Every structure is written in structure tokens, then in C-alpha cells.
Amino acid sequence: MFIIKCPYCGERDHSEFNYGGEAHLVRPKQPTELSDDQWAEYLFMRKNIKGLQYERWNHSHGCRRWFNVSRDTSTDKIHSVYKIGEKPSK
Amino acid sequence: MKKKYSIFALVKNSLSYHENWQRAWRDPEPKSRYDAVIVGGGGHGLATAYYLAKEHNLKNIAVVEKGWIGGGNTGRNTTIIRSNYLWDASAGMYDHALKIWENLSQELNYNVMFSQRGVMNLAHNQHDVRELKRRTHANRLNGIDCEWLNVEQVKKFCPIINCSPNIRYPVMGSTLQRRAGTARHDAVAWGYARGADAMGVDIIQNCEVKGIKRNGDSIEGIETTKGFIKTQKVGVVAAGHSSVIANMAGLRLPLESKPLQALVSEPIKPIIDTVVMSNAVHAYVSQSDKGELVIGAGTDSYISYTQKGTHEIVEGTLKAILELYPIFSRLRMLRQWGGVVDICPDASPIISKTSIKGLYFNCGWGTGGFKATPGSGHLFAHTMAKDEPHALNEAFNINRFISGDLVDEHGAAAVAH
Amino acid sequence: MLNFISPITESHTYNNFSMSEKTPITKINLRGDLENKDFASKAGKILGMILPNEACTTSTKEKITCMWLGPNEWLLVSNDTIDKKSNNHELERLLFKDISKTNLGAVTNVSDHYTIFNLSGSNIFEILSKGSPFDFDSEYFGDNKVVQTILNHVDVTIHRKTKENVDLYVRRSFSDYLWAWIKDSSRFI
Amino acid sequence: MSNEYRLSSGGQINRSESISFKFNGRTFHGYKGDTLASALLANGIHLVGRSFKYHRPRGIFSSGVEEPNALVQIIKDQGKTDPNLRATQIEIYEGLNATSQNCWPSVNFDLGSINNLFSPIIPAGFYYKTFMWPANLWENVYEYFIRRAAGLGKSPTKKDPDNYDHIYYHCEVLIVGAGPAGLVAAKIAANAGKKVLLVDERPNFGGNLNFSNKDYNKINGLTPLEWIKKTCLDLENNKNIKILNRTSVAAYHNYNYLIMVQNLTDHLADKDKNDQIRQRLWKVRAKKVILATGSIERPMIFDCNDRPGIMLSSAVRKYANTYGVKCGNNISFFTNNDDAYETAITLHNKGVKINSIIDIREKSNADLPKKCDELGIKIYWKSAVIYTEGYKKINNIHVMSLSKDNSSVIGNKLKINCDLLCVSGGYTPAVHLFTQSGGKLEYNEKKHYFFPKKNTLYQISIGSCNGTFGLKNIISEAQEKTREFLSIKEVDRLDVLTPKGGDFENIWLLPSNKISGKTKSFVDYQNDSTANDIKLALREGFKSIEHVKRYTTTGMATDQGKIANMHALGIISEITNTKLGELGTTTFRPPYSPITFGALVGRNVGKFFDITRKTPMHDWHEKNNAKFEDVGQWKRAWYYPSDKESMYDAVQRESKAARTSAGILDASTLGKIDIQGSDASEFLNRVYTNAWSKLAIGKCRYGLMLNDDGMVYDDGVTTRLDENHYIMTTTTGGAATVMGKLEDFLQTEWPELKVYLTSVTDHFATISVCGPHSKKILEKVTQSIDYSDDNFPHMSFKHGLIDKIKCRVMRISFTGELSYEINIQANYGQSVWEKCMSVGREYGITPYGTEAMHLLRAEKGFIIVGQETDGTVTPVDLQMDWIVSKKKYDFIGKRSLYRSDTMREDRKQYVGLLTNDPKEILEEGAQIVAEVKSKPPMDMIGHVTSSYYSPNLNKSIALAVVKNGKKLKGKRLYIPMKNKTIEVTVSDTIFLDKEGKRLNA
């Protein structure tokens, strides 16, 4: 049960949020140009990192905003949160 | 040669106060090279080694295990075994496993306590009924035993289920696979380990893989905490950690590793003689031979390797249990734990070659791998030995994610198995 | 003449806790980008107030209260009830004309999307704490603050007017269930 | 009343309040403040249970949560019996009725004890080695008997009548454990103005200080009890602190999230319980946590160390000081530390005979042993108990001297008669919660215990759970560490008197004069695992401690190894000679002590099991005898049977009426999303498969939404209300996920689009009126709308008024009939519905439910997402190519439609099926084959997705997905059922009104 600091609302209980998977996977602007392999890379293949992962969360039961989180998946410790379009604060 | 286990052996050994039992398996140091190395000493990995040695007479085989054998999901799951899957590919593969289960204790001379007490999947709404009947028909035409029970029959087969029409999600029927059931999880790992060891397989514990050495597109060996091991064939059966190994080889897999939790009650006298699962009312339960109720449900949604899930999952699971079995309310949770399960987008496993020659993956079993252990090992051994899939695991190749030919078993997997 | 039938048909009192529905109330969801000066000034002019720009804050004029729901989202609520017969939402008309029509933002009438429970008594937050992980003691949650959170798995918006007087917003289809749950909770204080 | 073991004075029991209770059918008396254990001991009862495997007689061993033996079943009615409770924790009340478990016919004469005779051939793991032949006997014979022999107490067989509750709580400082350390910390924190929560699992605060010897322990000149009393009083008067007794912390999760259970009524007599909450689950978020969970005394491991009458020394002291009970009249001690001497002195001073103290140490010059010497108590230094006698109660011990290196026993064997043996093997810090929180332990080689080393959270451990022993050390540590942890400047110092202690020496497994194979030295009492079992496991190659634990079941009993684990580890480290520090511990898993399912679930049972969502017209449906269908959390009207009508007849009637006169449906559950913004059209282009830019204002269009994997995800009609304003409808089940998905794309993939989405699902009541008379009805219900076809054609919408109330009317149809959908503010919905009913009466308007709706759309071949589709179906498979824009550059899912598998010609495709016998109704989910084989397996080429008897066509119709279905029209296929095979012919999916004339009828 994490406490997640929504960049808009501040610290809230885990249960107010939804997980959105690996962050910074940009949907190809021209999918039709891609080979089946390349499309599969975007669609299915994941880093599934053990360690520091950049991931998406949605404050779905609060302000409904999506944002990014950097979290160590081997300890669940959250290192930083940052808005969509921003770079993770090191 | 291993001495046979039997009641007579027990009596005989009792005379010498059990001081003359053989080791179940050796504790060797790794050799410098092997014909094949299995990464991961869980049930699937040990079974793979066992069948490689037994059916493909590879003798120079090692199983390397980061911790202790059977210490991952093999020793953490709720031991449900069934084969009532929807799609032909799954049904074929899981029933192949079930058939091996039926004689596994004798095959291994190790009592894995496979108990065919039946598995029920309850329906709670129109959609469930439609989908479960669809599965029942598919199973029947695939030659897999599976019956549809109406509410009266459910009540009769498992009287403690709350079949009142007035609960929030009344039971509307159920499937029943009588050949399905449970087994003793540790025994499966130990039995395969003992069997593999007897055929000369080196089981190397506390040996973590640190890197995978490639020469262009083929495998040269693995770096481990016990040194470099040369080999041309590496079979990775690392469950939740499959992606970690894949990353060492520069591969990406369609996997997410998530926390799955289970719990047991304090032991009580026999109260439930079958396995009951429910999708809409999210939980499943059986009773161990020791008397503990063994309970589980779904995963958390986020990736984590901590082997810890959220309290809310446990609470939600027990909420469902009490909805179906109000008589359990005063029983007490003795122990709860978590594991890390690797889940594919189509809720089906990968038993496959990869783009790297000599590197094979057996992963993506999600929440339901235990039931497949013998079949998974058997098919993976074939795939590694022949460098091509067995007919029964062709559909579970990694390329399906490129072609789109998925084996979508979410219906079967909606609740952790 | 159509009957106006709100989902809650009773009021509830237990010890010194009581709960009743507030209706009919105009509720309008306002969307727009505060960076956009036109939007901000137009909205401000119509509402006669500056839109709250901080999480959990509200601002109130004699006719309406404006609650922060997100960086580009607000809930506007009329302070008094409106006429059931005409069901005229004057504010909606104004805002829609000047903000939605002009593509400055979005204006959506959600008057019946939400049901309002008015809670009063000395132990409101003790009752809410039976089902909400939010820290109602937190320094950020004083009077005239609003928070969106969950209450026994239901999404709610909680407007603390004072420690002993709270408006709780819940989607209409959930209101019957949540009402029963709060009622049951109040027995065990 | 007998109470012959009750001391004449002393204890914290209320001797003026006598309480009667039943144990194994006999009536006893105790006092208010007794536990079941203390009351039984006062009556001379030690034997309370039988062990799990060998059914050996077992007595009360401890005085608290660590008790492995004294498990009892509380008998009430079948709904209220409690198995496996510890007699040491049950506070007695008038009417308490308890029995022993796992024994038959009685605890005194237990047939199961025959297992004890077989014990030589059933060592650890024996069941892995046998019961394999013949295979088919396992579950019916072997397992059957094993299961019945195993298990402890019995489950209730009726519903639990008690209430449980939950509460979230937030605090600055949580203190777990109210022993001396916890009390000191609490006082400091509360005085510093922090919001403090102090919890302890026991009814009284003070921990072990409650029963420590008052002559040797003083704080600021006060006796232990005086100091506890004063401190608790101060705390109660401090408004910053909340204090909970009978509250056990079950689990310590990440981010200082702790789960605890508060027991509120179990200690009360039924008459005092009323309707109160039995247990409350506390979900606590603490900024900082102070663990003061104390320590657990260890036993000694020697041959036959499990007999009734062998107890922990500290427990015996507690029974004497707290309950005024002497556990024996002629007492021996077996110890390796000074603590046992404090017990000896305490009992001696109460006039109980102490016949001997056997101490494995060379000598100790500490205060307490000296005192015992003075008192003339016989001490046997450098000696060990090697055996005990007495089947149901110990009656003597065998003692021999220890060799220099403690590896063997030497000299002559001495027999000492006694009726009680107090054992003390030193103390193990209770680090369970610390490790649960992710903290790492370190092993202290000198003191022989694991203690908290480092942790990642805002948390400290103080007192004996941190490996700090002796009142003086405990209190000064508590003060210093708390002060530092909470960054407080000053704390007033306390002046503590405590006896000077000696070292303690440790032998994990005591030597014996027998060959070890012949000894039964129990490590885990409840699971009957012995030192020999552990040796066997190691001998067989089970190397990891987790393996040994699982193979021998050591530490897996209901006490989760509180007594057993340390010695198991010690024995393993000795045999494998690995340093304990390297060996590590097994994982400490939650909960610390068992908690009821009831408490974990709270009030979320019965009607609160899950949310129930209702439409504005729900009450009307109920009043009109609707049967409801669960669709997600919604209750939807399924069908409206008239009194004797069957479901089938009702649905047939409703479906017929909808096409012949008029039908009315509650469609309020459909998701509705209000879409505004200058890029609204472009947004729709990207999320739907078809094109939207050209849709005229005032028009409606059907849309199909895919996942990016190309599979059908949702569908619905979207209406263009204005240039940049749309209202989208989604499926009932999909509403929330679609909204979420669209917001996701908008915020993360397409932030450049100026679009705002607002859910208005609950704002509108949606009433669909269809059938030949629907237009006439609508004309009377609404004002100011011209319903002429040219003004208001199919797939368009109008604003309207119903009695001054604004509404939107869409002319759209899911039944294929002329059909209108009224959307009006929810609170007017039921009134409008009633108006439609009264206006429609003359036209025979008939309310129809979801089942008839499904039938009607099937007649027209309209799909239902989730019924015709299952996440593996593309629009092309559905033969809906017409809705997939070829021109559009991209939309969600487009690329996936062009993968090798999704482009296959022979995929499963959407078709209609007609049975040769029009009366034959197929079963939904039935599988389809091209050729029937005599027996399975058969190649399945598809399955039936929908099937009904159509009252409007007077024949059965079905929809299906079939491999290569597009090409199979007119072909004959087969449906092999269990006991018959049904012939079907592949047909078009539209069974009725192909031309769509009825839309304008």
C-alpha cells in the first residue's frame, strides 16, 4: 500500500490511483509504416524492469489526471513523481 | 542409484533410527561446461531437466537456482490442478500435464499427493453462464471431462456454498472437472529433483545467473555467482524473473511481473472436499490435508518484485470467501504471503525458442503455472532437445505476439487459477 | 406536471449525527485552461469570482460555490435550491453561451449526475473514516476545503464547510447504496 | 469452589467476583481477571490438549500469544463456536464453555495416541515416501484418513451473527507494545504534543513489568505496579494520545501502513455484548512507528521436554504474581540464565517449595542466584535435565552433569521428584513486525539472538524487542532513542533499580545419555517435530532452512514458530556448523497472530458485499414485479413476468409487443460522455473506426471502438449536438473503462487536441420507446417536436420539452423498429416513464427488459460487445468492414488489423444459424463442427454466441462465430450436444426486415 504524491493533489493513499504501465512508450505517429515486428514491440514487448522503473499512474478517484512515477520495483520505494511531458527529476 | 521409497523402507530405516536414509539429491559444485543448463530450480525447471535426461538422454545437465529449489512460485501457490481450458491449444497442453499428474507419484517414486477431488468454477451472472457453458462444450469435444452443474447440483456437490438466491451475486450454476484437484507443491519440486539427480543432473542451489554470454546470435554460456558455465543450450524457467534474464540476453518479452498473494487459515477438521473457484465473486478455496483452508484470488495491477502485495487484495478475497461461505467468518487467517508472477497479454504461457540460437524461454504462466508443471517440463525438454516445438506447444511460441495469433485465456484466467 | 423524484426519500438521525439529501441544486462541471487569459477572465466575470487554482480549495459567492476538482476542472454548485417545476439552470445558459460556444472551455450540466448528502454532527469524520483512507485530520483539510476520494469503494467528493457540517457528493446511481452504508456506519460510533 | 492451587493473596484478579465456566463438560470457578489458563491451573488442571501428529498429552506451557499447546474450542451455538483459541489469551466470563481439541473420545483417553506407538516409522516427511501404491487408493483411503486425523478444531456450521467493523486511522507516532519501553516512549511523545496511538494486545498495560519482583525492580522509588498505574493514569489524561488495549498488530506493510485488530467483546459474558462490534480492524498510517514488542522466553530442548507440568519460568511467575496461582507444589527449575531465579524467589516468598534449580552454567555471582543460595534453594551448577517422567503430568526429572565442553553428560544420574518443571532458555526478541516492515536482522553471537539492524522506514525498535534486557537498560534506551527519534530536547530522567544480572549460556540441543535416535526432544510442540526430524531433513539433503522448515513442518503450527524457530535454527547451525548469522531466519509472515476472516472483511458482507447501482426508474420496475439482471454493479430490469408467467413466456410476450404495438425500455445504464472542444470531431476520428468530420449537426452515428490490438472493445451511438459538441454513448459494462481509456489517450498521447470529456451517465434517465405506435406516444409525451420523417428522420435528434422540462430525443433503434430515445434529467426520469406508460396504454405499450432487448436485436443481427465478441474478434470478423474507414490515416487498433493473423481469410466470422427443426433452440456457448465424429476429439470451427426463439418469426434463431463463416452461407453444420447432435444451416445474420422498412413504419 503505497502513498503516492499526486503532482496535483499531494500525498494520497494507493487505493485512489490506477496503474498505467511502463511510461514513455510513445505511440508511433505512423503505425502503418511499421513492420509487424516493430508494431509488436510497441504493443506488447515490455522492459518489466526489476529496479528503477518509470511508470504511469492515474489519480482516477481524485483529480483524474495521469502522471509519471519513478519507483524501484524491487522495494516499491517511489523516488519521484512528475507530470506528463516532463522529464523525471533525478 | 536411488533406494526406493516405500512403507517397508520406512520400517526398515526405523530400526536404525532413520540414520541411514540417502540424500534426496547431491549438492554439487558447477562443472565448467554442460550440454544444457536450466536457469531456475522451480517445478518447471526441475521437470525440464528430468525429462531432458530421461527422454532425450542428455546426461550432462545442470539446473542453476538463485535460492533454494522450489522456493519460488512452486512453493507459494495454491496447488490447483485442472485442464478445463477454452481453446484447443490450451486444453491440449494442460490436459497433457494432467495426464502426467495422474501417475506422477509412481513415476517419481515420490508421493506428490495428487488428489483428484474435483474443481468447480461458479457462475454468478448471465455472462458467466454463457462463457462457462462454452468452455464445458469445448472441453467435451476435446475429450476433456467437464460437467455443467445447476444450482441444486452445486448445493449437492459442495453443501457449504451459499446457494441462496438472495445474495448479491447468486450462484447460477457451475462447471465441474472431476479429474482436477490439488497436489503437494513442495513434493513436486523435491520429487523431480530427486529423480533428475538420480540420472546425474547437477542441481546447483544458491547460484544466481549474472549474465548471458552470446557469440553473435548463439549462446556461449552463462555468468553465475559460482563462476562462468559454458553451454550451448540455456533454458530459462525463471517465472517472475524471466524478463530480468531476458534483459541480460538483450531480449524483451511481452511480460509484466506482478504480486500474487495467497493465505491459509488455521487448521480445522475437514469441511470442504473439493476446490471451488469463482470469477465474478473473486476467490478460490480448497482445504489442505493438514486442515488449512488454502485461499487466493487476483494479482495487484502494478509491477513489483517485492513478493508483497497490497492488504486490499487480501481483504477483497476474504470478502468474496465470506459471501460464498458465511460459516467461515470466525475462522482465522494463519499466514499470508506473496509471489511474483509473470503475465502475458493473452494470459497464456510462452514455451518457445528465441531469436538467439540455443536460448529458450518457458515463462508467462501468470497465476496458473503449477498445474502445468509436468507437461511444461516435458514439452520444454522436447523443444530444447529437438530445437523445435512439440506439437502441443507450437501455439505457445513467442512469435504469436507479432502475427497476432494469440491464445486468449482471460476467460479461464480471470481469477488467478 | 412531472414529479421530481430524488433518489433519497428519507432523512436519518442517530445520536447527534444526522444526514439528509440537499436537492434540487444546480451543479455544473466547468473545464478550461487557466493559462488561457480569455477563459480565466470570462469565467471570473460570469461567476464574479476567481476560479480556485489550488488542490482542495473552494471559493464562494452568495449564489454559488466553486470547487477545485482538477487543474482544469471545477464543480459549480448553487447555494440555494432551484424550482422543481421550471428546473431552470440560468448559470448553465450563461456559461455555455460564453465559454462552451466560444471554445474557451467546456460547460456541462451535472445537476442530477451527483446527489448531495448533507452530514452534520460531531463525529462525521469518524464515520467517514470507516471507509475512506483520506486523513481528514490533515492540516490541508480545514473548513471550506473539498476532497475527492473513495468511501467504501465509492467515488465521493467531500466538501467540509465546518467540522460539524459537511456536503458529500456521490453519483446518483450509487447514492442509495452509499446512503445505506453511512446509515449503518453511524450505528457503531 | 476448589481453586486449591490459588495462593491466599496477591494478583490482579478480583477475588470478590467469582466466575463459573465449563471445561470439557466440568464446571469450574475462577475470578474476574483470570484467563482460562490461569483458572484451570488454579484448579490443578495442566493437561488441556493433544499434539497434532502423535497425540501426546500436552499441558499449558506459556502465558500468552506464544502458547503452542493449550488450544481449545469455544462452544456456543453452531454459528458462534471458535476453534483453536489459546487458553492463555481467553479472559474468562460467566458461561464460558471450552473443550479440548484433536482428541477422541477425550483429552484424558485419546485413541489417536496410538500414533505415538507408530512414531518410530512416521518421522518427518514419511508421507512423501509411502501411500503410493496402489495409485487409486490415495484420495479415497490414505488421504481420507490423513485428513481426518489432521486438523485441529471444528469450523462453525452456521452464519456468524457477530458484527465487525473497519476504521482508517492516521497518527504521527504509533507505539506498538505497552510494556515499560512502550509506556515510557508514549509518555514522551504525548507530552511533546504529538498525535500518538499506543496499542497492546493484552488487556492490561505494563507488559512483563506487571509480574516482576517488586523487591528487585523499582522506578523512581515506585514498585512496578505503582509505576504502571501512575503512568497509565497520566496517559489517559493526555488528549494527544489514543490508547487501545486487546489490540494486536497483525501486519506491518510498506509506507508505515499497519493492520491491527481490536477485540471488543470476546471477554464479555453474552448478556453484556448486546449488538456491539465484536472486532474492529484498524488500518493505521503512521508518520513514525516505535516498536516495543518485547521478547519471548525460550524453552530448553531435551528428551521428553513436552510433558504437562513443564512450563516457561516467566509464565509461572506471571501466574503467581498476576493471577495468584501456583502452578505446582514441588517445583524444579531448568535454566541457562538468571531470570529463572527471579521466579524461584517469587514463589519461594509465597511459600511454595522450590526443590531444585538445574543450571547449565558453571556458576553465576549475580544478585538473584546469590539470593537463592541464601534462601537454601538447591542449585545444581553445570548440570542438565536429560529426561522426564509422568505421562499426563510430570512427576520426576533425571539430571546429570555436563561435560566440560557441554557436548555430553557425565557422572551419575540423579532423579528428582517434582510436579512442575520451570524451563528458561533465555529470551528471543520479538522482531516479527520489524522484519515484516522490510527491516534486516543481525545475529548477536554472544547473546545468541537476532536483533533489528537496519530498516528503511521511519521506525525504531526499543526495549527487549531490540535485544535490550534489564529494566534499567530498557528504560534508559526507551528514553534516549525516543527523544532522538522525535527530535525532542529534554526528557526528565527516571531512576531505576534492577537486579545485577549474570551472563547466559546457550546450548541449542542438550546432550543426552541415550543415543539420539532414541530421544524425543521436541522443538515444535504443536506439530510434533523433534530435533531428530531436523537431523533427518539435513541428512537427506534439505539444506536451506526453508527446506527444513517445510520438510519437518517446524514453525508452521498455529504459533508460527514463536517457541520453535530459534532452536530449530540453532540446531541446524550446529549440525551444519554454519554461523547462525549466515544461516539467517525463515521469513516472518503476517499476521503476527491469527486474525478472524470476519475482522478482515468488516461490514462488507451481505448487502454491502458489493456496490449496487440503480437507475432512476428502479422503484417503478420493482413495483411492477421486474426480475433484475446483474450487469456489472447495475441492477437492470431483466423481464416483467405477470404473476404466473414463466421467464420464457414473459420474454416472448414483451418481444412480440415491441414489434406489434409499442415497447418501453430503461436504457439509463448506458454510459454517456459529454464531449466538447474545437477538436471533438478529430478526436472521434481517432477513437472510432469510422469517420466523423462530415456528420451533420443534429445527426447520430453508430461507432465501433477497438483496442490497439485491433479487437472490438466497445460500441454505441454518438450524436452531434453542435459544431464542437457531441454526446457519446457506451455499453453499460464499458462505461468506466471507455471513459478512462479516452482520458488516457487525450492526456498522454494527444495533449494537442482541444477536447474535454465529462461523464453524464447518471445525469440522464434514458427511456427508449419502440414499435409501430412509438411515434404517436412520443408526440403526446413531448411538446414542441415535429416528428414528421423529413423533419425528424432516423439517426437524428431534437431538443424538446416535457412539461417545461428540457429533454433530448434521439431517433435511434437497437431493435430495428421505429424507435425513440428520451434523455431527461434523472430526477424526472420515473415521472416521464410513468407518463409514457399512461399515454401508451391505449396503444398497448409494454415494458420490456434486457432479455427481450437481446432477443429483438438478435432478430436484426445487431451484435452485443461481450457476447458476440470476446476480445478476439475484429470488425472484419464481424463482417462490419463497412464501418472500418480505409481512408482514415489512423485510429486506435487500425495497425493491428493488418497483421498476418488478423488478415487471414479463414478467421472465425460472424454468421447466423438456423436449426432444421425451427422449434429447436440452440444452447448459447454450444460448439460447432463441420463433421461429427463417433467420439471426441472433434474439430470445433466455432460456437453459438446468441440463441433465442423468435416470436416474430416463429422459429428459433441463433448467432455464431464460425471459421471461414463468410464463405459458408447455406452450408450445413453440426452441433454435437451431450446426448444428441443438432443440424444447423449457416444463414445471414439479419433474420428480420433486411431492408429496414420497419424503422420508418
Side-chain angles (χ1 to χ4, degrees), chain C residues 1-7 9 21 23 29 31-33 72-73 83-89 92 96 100-101 103-114 126 128-137 152-154 171-174 176-177 180-182 184-185 187-189, chain D residues 163-171 195 275-277 280 285 287 603-604 607-617 619 633-634 674 676-678 722 724-725 743 754-764 802-806 824-832 834-835:
Chain C
M1 217 20 83
L2 291 182
N3 299 323
F4 180 96
I5 304 169
S6 59
T9 50
E21 187 193 351
T23 185
N29 184 283
R31 305 290 301 275
D33 177 3
N72 63 8
E73 182 166 15
D83 172 24
K84 293 176 180 178
K85 301 278 166 285
S86 63
N87 189 49
N88 182 5
H89 303 284
E92 176 194 14
F96 195 82
S100 186
K101 278 283 196 182
N103 292 322
L104 286 176
V107 175
T108 310
N109 188 331
V110 289
S111 298
D112 285 5
H113 188 65
Y114 296 109
E126 201 176 331
L128 298 181
S129 291
K130 288 172 182 288
S132 177
F134 183 74
D135 180 5
F136 296 104
D137 263 3
N152 205 44
H153 310 289
V154 179
R171 287 174 66 168
R172 193 189 192 282
S173 59
F174 295 85
D176 176 65
Y177 170 87
W181 183 82
I182 297 176
D184 188 63
S185 305
R187 291 195 297 134
F188 299 113
I189 282 303
Chain D
N163 295 309
Y164 302 83
D165 193 24
H166 284 182
I167 190 152
Y168 288 87
Y169 192 80
H170 304 258
C171 62
K195 184 182 176 189
D275 189 23
Q276 292 173 66
I277 295 282
R280 176 169 287 131
R285 281 280 187 196
K287 298 237 169 359
R603 282 182 295 121
N604 294 340
K607 68 178 172 181
F608 295 131
F609 167 67
D610 192 17
I611 293 160
T612 302
R613 297 180 71 180
K614 295 178 177 175
T615 74
M617 289 80 92
D619 293 350
Q633 292 170 321
W634 284 100
D674 187 74
Q676 298 182 36
S678 45
D722 202 341
N724 299 319
H725 189 189
E743 271 293 344
K754 290 216 166 352
V755 178
Y756 293 107
L757 307 175
T758 308
S759 168
V760 288
T761 303
D762 295 27
H763 178 65
F764 289 107
I802 304 178
D803 302 347
K804 294 214 193 98
I805 308 299
K806 290 202 204 69
I824 190 155
Q825 237 177 277
N827 285 340
Y828 297 96
Q830 182 161 331
S831 189
V832 171
E834 281 161 346
K835 185 164 184 168

Side-chain angles (χ1 to χ4, degrees), chain B residues 39-216:
Chain B
V39 178
H44 290 242
L46 293 163
T48 306
Y50 176 86
Y51 292 111
L52 272 175
K54 180 158 186 280
E55 297 189 0
H56 304 282
N57 58 49
L58 257 69
K59 289 292 172 254
N60 186 27
I61 306 169
V63 176
V64 296
E65 164 56 44
K66 176 174 63 173
W68 37 284
I69 59 170
N73 296 342
T74 301
R76 293 165 185 274
N77 76 95
T78 50
T79 78
I80 298 171
I81 294 164
R82 59 191 182 87
S83 64
N84 57 344
Y85 278 70
L86 175 63
W87 303 104
D88 299 354
S90 322
M93 187 265 294
Y94 285 106
D95 207 52
H96 176 62
L98 183 48
K99 291 202 182 87
I100 302 177
W101 275 112
E102 284 172 323
N103 292 297
L104 193 57
S105 295
Q106 292 69 30
E107 157 90 28
L108 297 176
N109 176 229
Y110 205 93
N111 190 352
V112 300
M113 302 179 199
F114 179 43
S115 168
Q116 295 181 289
R117 52 181 73 178
V119 170
M120 304 170 80
N121 292 77
L122 301 179
H124 299 274
N125 57 45
Q126 294 306 302
H127 183 265
D128 284 357
V129 171
R130 203 177 291 116
E131 286 308 308
L132 288 174
K133 283 191 170 174
R134 179 182 171 193
R135 255 164 70 188
T136 312
H137 289 297
N139 292 154
R140 180 167 48 80
L141 295 186
N142 269 322
I144 293 169
D145 74 302
C146 188
E147 307 159 42
W148 175 259
L149 306 183
N150 62 29
V151 182
E152 292 65 38
Q153 294 165 311
V154 168
K155 185 95 198 132
K156 194 156 170 303
F157 190 77
C158 187
I160 64 169
I161 296 175
N162 182 2
C163 287
S164 152
N166 305 322
I167 65 175
R168 179 67 181 85
Y169 296 109
V171 174
M172 301 177 99
S174 167
T175 61
L176 169 63
Q177 182 178 24
R178 294 183 189 269
R179 284 165 62 231
T182 60
R184 174 86 185 111
H185 52 15
D186 294 331
V188 179
W190 299 344
Y192 271 118
R194 179 165 167 267
D197 178 88
M199 293 183 287
V201 173
D202 285 353
I203 299 167
I204 302 156
Q205 303 186 66
N206 304 311
C207 178
E208 183 174 0
V209 173
K210 286 296 184 188
I212 292 187
K213 190 143 181 286
R214 292 169 53 169
N215 173 3

Side-chain angles (χ1 to χ4, degrees), chain A residues 17 37 48 56:
Chain A
F17 299 85
D37 299 47
N48 196 25
R56 304 164 352 114

Side-chain angles (χ1 to χ4, degrees), chain D residues 828-845:
Chain D
Y828 297 96
Q830 182 161 331
S831 189
V832 171
W833 177 279
E834 281 161 346
K835 185 164 184 168
C836 293
M837 286 304 295
S838 57
V839 169
R841 191 151 295 112
E842 60 178 298
Y843 305 108
I845 192 168

